[in-house]
Amino acid sequence: MPRESRAHKKARMQQEYALLCEEIPDPQCALDFTNPFELLVATVLSAQTTDKRVNMVTPPLFASYPSPEELAAANPEIVENIIHSLGFYRSKSRNIIALSHDLMERFDGEVPSNMEDLVTLPGVGRKTANVVLGNAFGIPGFPVDTHVIRVTGRLRWREDWKSTNPDPVHIEKEITSYFPAEEWTDLSHRLILHGRAICHARTPDCAHCPLQQTCPSAFHI
């Protein structure tokens, strides 16, 4: 594929995204939550496991610890027992208890609605913060997970598509530069859902992909 101009690349990206919007008209966060605190905890728990597994442990977790105040005072062993099936349960237990303590001590028990404060909480990186901002507060956020990295690379939406160790922050900045801020959250959702359903890591289902006509990687993986 010859090198694209930025204008041509943007036009192709918009065309492909329009097809993703048709494929996935109503993208939703896969984690179950009722408030920003629940989403924050659930997202921290989702590291290196599936959203489905997280959704299995959060109902009993939040039934026992419905707010930062209760979780901050929790017995770590009891929390570990509740989330044991997730893996890395000891470090995750420490993180969600510690971030709850920080919420109580530093933010009056409220989840902050800005990137700068969110990433100071234990276990919270930029991806988690973007999930919370976009889905709990309606503030534009573009979480970059493994699906986003894979799909944007195969589509060559990003300059470093050949990289074996791409920088998620650079990907976030580059991809969002092509789209209006109000699309960022749904854009991330659609790329993730497309990656899960069709653009699989090992064997993408190119035959059923709506982007096969323009995707540079179609039928070549």
Side-chain angles (χ1 to χ4, degrees), residues 16 26-27 52 64 68 100 102 112 121 123 135 141 149-150 159 180 197 203:
E16 290 169 343
D26 186 29
K52 183 177 180 179
S64 298
S100 297
D102 275 15
L121 296 169
N135 294 282
I149 293 172
R150 181 174 67 254
E159 292 296 325
T203 309

Side-chain angles (χ1 to χ4, degrees), residues 115 126-127 130 140-144 148 167-177 184:
M115 176 67 71
R126 192 171 181 88
K127 182 181 75 172
N130 271 319
F142 185 73
V144 177
V148 171
D167 178 8
V169 176
H170 178 77
I171 293 173
E172 177 187 343
K173 292 179 179 178
E174 182 177 6
I175 299 302
T176 56
S177 72
W184 294 352

Side-chain angles (χ1 to χ4, degrees), residues 37 41 44-45 61 65 68 71-84 86-103 120-124:
F37 171 67
V41 171
V44 170
L45 294 178
L61 178 69
Y65 311 105
L71 189 53
N75 182 323
E77 292 184 359
I78 296 177
V79 175
E80 288 174 8
N81 185 59
I82 295 173
I83 68 170
H84 187 272
L86 298 183
F88 302 98
Y89 60 91
R90 289 192 177 91
S91 61
K92 290 180 179 180
S93 175
R94 287 195 299 270
N95 282 335
I96 63 175
I97 291 173
L99 73 81
S100 297
H101 180 269
D102 275 15
L103 290 177
T120 67
L121 296 169
V124 179

